Amino acid sequence: ELARNNLTRAVLIAGVVVVLMVGFFFFNWRAALISLVTLPLSLIAAGLVLHLRGATLNVMVLTGLVIAMGVIVDDAIVVVENIQRRLRQLQSPGKGELPRSPASVILETLRETRGAMLFATLICLLAALPIFSLQGIAGAFFQPLAVSYVLAVLASTFVALLVTPALCAILLPSGSDAPLD
């Protein structure tokens, strides 16, 4: 119970720091909102898959989710930042360029970043692979951590490739520096 309380406190502190850093990083409430929506969505998706697998929410599962937070935050910020940058370029097209819709810019940005994102996800998953070869008590102890980590990373990639661009299309339709509504 003490370990769970410590982990809960650490997660809450990390959550507050992430909210502050995302707000500071983007200087745009819409872009920050997109990132802050996709972060818990990735964790909820991983938690849902864990629940469907019959896993309990113990300290090792929570630790795996906390470890995956770095990848989850990175996925959320990288996609939104790239789309935001490309939408800014859309607002000031170069000479001879045809005007493009924000949706086409978002799709093009997603095509450019998905390869690197999928390779990064694969590397993160391969880093956890040795844990699955552990035998005995160590294997029983650490495998729930690895499973929750892998599921959170996969959920984060899924959200970053599907949900984040959709939210960008909705919340950043005319560019990332649109005035407040």
Side-chain angles (χ1 to χ4, degrees):
E1 190 172 318
L2 180 63
R4 186 179 61 218
N5 290 339
N6 288 338
L7 191 59
T8 302
R9 188 175 329 117
V11 168
L12 289 175
I13 291 170
V16 169
V17 170
V18 166
V19 167
L20 292 174
M21 291 307 297
V22 166
F24 177 75
F25 182 73
F26 283 119
F27 290 118
N28 180 311
W29 71 271
R30 293 175 187 217
L33 179 65
I34 293 167
S35 292
L36 294 175
V37 165
T38 59
L39 295 174
L41 188 60
S42 297
L43 291 174
I44 290 169
L48 180 64
V49 174
L50 284 168
H51 174 71
L52 293 174
R53 292 184 71 239
T56 60
L57 199 60
N58 57 39
V59 173
M60 293 309 288
V61 169
L62 288 174
T63 304
L65 294 174
V66 169
I67 292 170
M69 278 302 292
V71 176
I72 293 170
V73 169
D74 181 63
D75 284 351
I77 289 176
V78 166
V79 172
V80 173
E81 193 276 327
N82 279 323
I83 291 173
Q84 186 180 28
R85 179 180 49 81
R86 294 294 297 269
L87 286 173
R88 270 195 214 118
Q89 292 172 353
L90 176 67
Q91 289 178 340
S92 57
K95 291 183 179 182
E97 275 190 38
L98 294 173
R100 297 182 325 196
S101 70
S104 68
V105 172
I106 290 170
L107 262 166
E108 183 180 321
T109 304
L110 189 61
R111 276 190 223 121
E112 289 176 359
T113 58
R114 75 173 175 217
M117 180 178 273
L118 291 174
F119 281 123
T121 299
L122 182 62
I123 291 168
C124 290
L125 296 177
L126 288 174
L129 196 59
I131 294 174
F132 291 106
S133 67
L134 292 175
Q135 300 293 319
I137 295 175
F141 190 67
F142 284 109
Q143 283 180 2
L145 182 148
V147 168
S148 63
Y149 172 80
V150 165
L151 290 175
V153 169
L154 289 173
S156 173
T157 302
F158 180 77
V159 167
L161 291 175
L162 294 176
V163 177
T164 304
L167 287 174
C168 286
I170 293 168
L171 293 174
L172 302 174
S174 61
S176 57
D177 293 324
L180 297 176
D181 294 332

